Amino acid sequence: MTHPGATPSEKHNVVIIGSGFGGLTAAKTLKRADVDIKMIAKTTHHLFQPLLYQVATGIISEGEIAPLTRVILRDNKNCQVLLGEVTNIDLSNKTVDSVLLGHTYRTPYDSVIVAAGAGQSYFGNDHFAEWAPGMKTIDDALELRGRILGAFEQAERSSDPERRAKLLTFVVVGAGPTGVEMAGQIAELADHTLKGAFRHIDSTKARVILLDAAPAVLPPMGEKLGKKAAARLEKLGVEIQLGAMVTNVDRNGINVKYGDGTEERIECQTKVWSAGVAASPLAKIIAEQCGAEVDRAGRIKVLPDLTVPGHPEVFVVGDMALVDGVPGQAQGAIQGARYAAKLIKAELKGANPAFREPFKYFDKGSMATVSKYSAVVKVGPLEFGGFIGWLSWLFLHLIYLVGFKARLITALSWMGTLVGSHRGQLTITEQQAYARTRIEQLEEIVESVDDPQIAAT
Ligand SMILES: Cc1cc2nc3c(=O)[nH]c(=O)nc-3n(C[C@H](O)[C@H](O)[C@H](O)COP(=O)(O)OP(=O)(O)OC[C@H]3O[C@@H](n4cnc5c(N)ncnc54)[C@H](O)[C@@H]3O)c2cc1C
C-alpha cells in the first residue's frame, strides 16, 4: 500500500534521519545539490537542546527553542520533511523503515545520513525514568516544569511538616553541564522568582541537592572550572554530594551509596536525571549488519570518513557516532553532517569515493552556565568563568538559536529574568505533569491493535 505525501524521484536519493543539529545541517548543506532529500524525524521540530533547562525552569517557552523543521527548510526545495520514527535501516536493500501511528513506511536511499542522536541512559535501571525524568526532549522539560512547580503548590497545601520537607527537596542526578544548569536554576527559582508568592511555605527554604558518582563537578571542563562552578552553586545554597552513587529511585525519594560505603535515603518528590547518555538504538541496528563496534554508550565506531564498514553510502554523525576526539556536543554533529553532505555533493560531481579526506574536528570549546551572571568557559588552553564567561555564553547561544524572531523573544525573556527575576513561562498543566504514564498505556493499546502493513514512500 503506498501512502500519499512522499514523492518518488529519479535523482540521487538522500535520506536524512533526525532533525537535530546533525540532520538540519546536512539538509542545509545539500540545499542547492541536485539530489532528492527525505528527512525523517520523530518530532516535527528542530530542538535546541542546550536551552531545554530554561524551558523546564520557566524562563523561556518551548517554541523559542523548537521551531518547526518544515518551516526552517521551506526554501530547501529538494527536501521533503516526513514525520515518523525510524525503526530499521536495511543496509543490503538500502531502505529505511519508519513508523507513524502504527503505519510503517519504507523509503529507499542512495545515500543515508543517520543523525538520530542520543537519549537518556539510566545505566540499566530504566524504571528510574518514571520518577526521575531526563532532559532530552520538550516533553521532558515540560514534564519537569510541571513537577517542580507542582511540588511547591502541593507543599503550600500540606500541613504535615515531613511531607512538606519531601515536597520542597529537589534532587538533580548528574553534575555535568545540564545538572549544574538545572540545580542552579531551581535554586534561583525558589530563592528569587517564587519568593513571597506563597503564604504557608517559604520557597527560599527549598533544598536543592546536586549529586554525582564522579568525584568532581563538570569533569570534562577540568578541575579549576569544576571548582569554580561548585563554589558558585554552593553560594546559591545548592548542596553538592560527590562520589554518590544512586542505587534506587522511587516515587518518594532516592537511595544513595557513598564512596566510604555508607548509604542514605533522601526523601524527595522531584528528581531530575541528567547522568548519562545512550545513543539511538539505530546505531546497534547498523552495527549488527556491518560488523562495526558499539561502545558502552551504544555509539557506533565509524570509519575516518564517518561511514560504516563496506557501506560508503551510510554516514553516521553526531551523538550516535564514536569518533576519537569528537565530544557529544552540537559542534560534533554540525561539523560531521557538513562533512558528509559535502562528500555526497562532491561525488555527484565526479569525485572518487576511494580518495576521501578523513573527517577533521575543529574544537570550538565548551561552556556551561551556573546561574545568573555566572558561567564557565573552556576554549583550548583558555579557561575562564564568572561574568565574562556568562556574557560569552549569552552571545553564543543567541547566535546559534534558529530564527531571528526566536532570538529576539529569547533575549527579551532573558532580560525579564535578569532585571527582576521574573520568569514568563511558569504555566503548568495537569497533562504536562502526569501524561507520561497515560501515553505509555496508549502506545501499548496502539501497538496491540495496529495492522503492521508496510507502505513504500
Ligand atoms: C539538556 C542538554 C543540554 C546540552 N547542552 C549543550 C551545550 O551547551 N553545548 C553543546 O555543544 N551541546 C550541548 N548538548 C549536546 C547537543 O545537544 C548534542 O550533542 C547534539 O544535539 C547532537 O546532535 P545530533 O544531531 O547528533 O542529535 P540530536 O540533536 O539529538 O538530534 C537527533 C534527532 O533525531 C531524531 N530521532 C531520534 N531517533 C529517531 C528515530 N528512531 N527516528 C527518527 N528520528 C529520530 C530526534 O527527534 C532528533 O530530531 C546538550 C544536550 C542536552 C540533552
Side-chain angles (χ1 to χ4, degrees):
M1 189 168 87
T2 308
H3 281 249
T7 324
S9 164
E10 294 306 312
K11 294 186 178 171
H12 185 91
N13 286 303
V14 180
V15 170
I16 297 173
I17 301 174
S19 60
F21 285 104
L24 198 63
T25 304
K28 285 182 169 178
T29 310
L30 288 166
K31 184 174 176 183
R32 292 185 213 296
D34 190 24
V35 295
D36 187 84
I37 305 167
K38 304 259 188 285
M39 172 185 277
I40 308 174
K42 65 179 179 184
T43 63
T44 55
H45 53 259
H46 161 74
L47 179 58
F48 191 81
Q49 288 176 339
L51 291 180
L52 264 179
Y53 79 96
Q54 296 205 354
V55 175
T57 53
I59 298 172
I60 57 174
S61 78
E62 62 277 19
E64 287 159 53
I65 61 162
L68 209 59
T69 314
R70 63 177 67 258
V71 171
I72 305 172
L73 295 175
R74 188 186 350 230
D75 295 332
N76 269 56
K77 298 293 180 207
N78 60 359
C79 179
Q80 183 178 22
V81 178
L82 299 166
L83 179 63
E85 176 159 5
V86 173
T87 51
N88 192 34
I89 303 166
D90 182 337
L91 299 193
S92 310
N93 292 308
K94 295 191 182 179
T95 57
V96 169
D97 286 354
S98 54
V99 177
L100 179 62
L101 286 175
H103 296 275
T104 302
Y105 300 82
R106 182 157 291 169
T107 311
Y109 65 83
D110 298 304
S111 301
V112 60
I113 300 177
V114 192
Q120 207 72 62
S121 167
Y122 289 84
F123 309 112
N125 297 298
D126 288 353
H127 57 286
F128 290 180
E130 186 177 358
W131 308 116
M135 271 283 283
K136 285 286 177 189
T137 63
I138 289 290
D139 279 331
D140 291 337
L142 292 178
E143 184 180 20
L144 279 170
R145 188 200 286 174
R147 289 186 183 205
I148 294 164
L149 292 164
F152 284 101
E153 296 298 335
Q154 290 174 62
E156 176 77 355
R157 302 300 307 257
S158 172
S159 52
D160 173 357
E162 262 181 40
R163 183 167 140 75
R164 269 207 311 274
K166 182 185 82 177
L167 287 162
L168 292 178
T169 301
F170 300 86
V171 173
V172 180
V173 183
T178 304
V180 165
E181 287 164 345
M182 274 305 285
Q185 285 310 319
I186 297 173
E188 288 199 335
L189 181 72
D191 283 352
H192 301 290
T193 310
L194 298 178
K195 187 178 174 184
F198 294 93
R199 300 292 168 258
H200 183 52
I201 58 160
D202 177 355
S203 67
T204 68
K205 296 278 187 302
R207 261 181 98 188
V208 183
I209 303 169
L210 175 66
L211 52 86
D212 201 305
V217 167
L218 293 177
M221 301 199 79
E223 196 184 338
K224 186 177 141 201
L225 292 182
K227 283 191 171 157
K228 215 178 178 93
R232 176 70 198 153
L233 284 172
E234 279 169 344
K235 209 166 166 199
L236 288 173
V238 175
E239 295 169 37
I240 300 174
Q241 299 188 4
L242 299 171
M245 172 88 81
V246 173
T247 53
N248 194 33
V249 178
D250 57 44
R251 179 194 288 268
N252 293 313
I254 204 157
N255 291 62
V256 185
K257 188 170 182 181
Y258 301 97
D260 61 5
T262 56
E263 295 189 33
E264 193 196 349
R265 163 83 179 169
I266 304 172
E267 295 293 325
C268 55
Q269 171 149 307
T270 311
K271 283 82 73 179
V272 183
W273 192 271
S274 63
V277 291
S280 158
L282 294 178
K284 190 163 169 245
I285 290 175
I286 297 170
E288 278 169 355
Q289 294 173 66
C290 65
E293 272 175 52
V294 170
D295 75 352
R296 280 178 56 202
R299 295 176 301 173
I300 180 168
K301 190 164 173 48
V302 289
L303 300 173
D305 63 355
L306 306 186
T307 63
V308 298
H311 293 275
E313 74 286 2
V314 179
F315 296 90
V316 184
V317 302
D319 282 3
M320 281 180 68
L322 176 62
V323 189
D324 278 348
V326 181
Q329 289 184 349
Q331 277 301 323
I334 291 171
Q335 294 180 30
R338 196 175 287 140
Y339 165 87
K342 281 184 175 170
L343 279 185
I344 293 173
K345 278 207 291 197
E347 286 162 19
L348 282 174
K349 288 184 182 156
N352 187 340
F355 299 109
R356 288 175 178 175
E357 289 282 331
F359 170 65
K360 281 199 195 82
Y361 177 68
F362 176 65
D363 185 2
K364 294 188 176 176
S366 47
M367 46 177 59
T369 40
V370 186
S371 65
K372 206 194 248 191
Y373 308 132
S374 175
V376 286
V377 181
K378 185 173 162 68
V379 188
L382 206 64
E383 294 183 352
F384 56 100
F387 187 64
I388 304 280
W390 178 78
L391 277 183
S392 329
W393 177 92
L394 203 77
F395 177 72
L396 270 175
H397 281 73
L398 275 183
I399 295 279
Y400 275 102
L401 264 181
V402 175
F404 174 74
K405 200 171 160 201
R407 282 184 206 127
L408 191 70
I409 296 172
T410 305
L412 286 174
S413 305
W414 286 352
M415 269 165 64
T417 309
L418 293 173
V419 175
S421 293
H422 169 78
R423 298 188 184 198
Q425 303 296 332
L426 296 173
T427 311
I428 58 169
T429 70
E430 212 176 332
Q431 287 186 13
Q432 283 167 3
Y434 305 110
R436 177 182 295 256
T437 318
R438 293 288 171 272
I439 289 171
E440 278 166 11
Q441 286 168 354
L442 192 66
E443 277 170 356
E444 278 167 24
I445 296 169
V446 169
E447 273 166 25
S448 65
V449 296
D450 258 315
D451 175 5
Q453 286 184 73
I454 294 181
T457 64

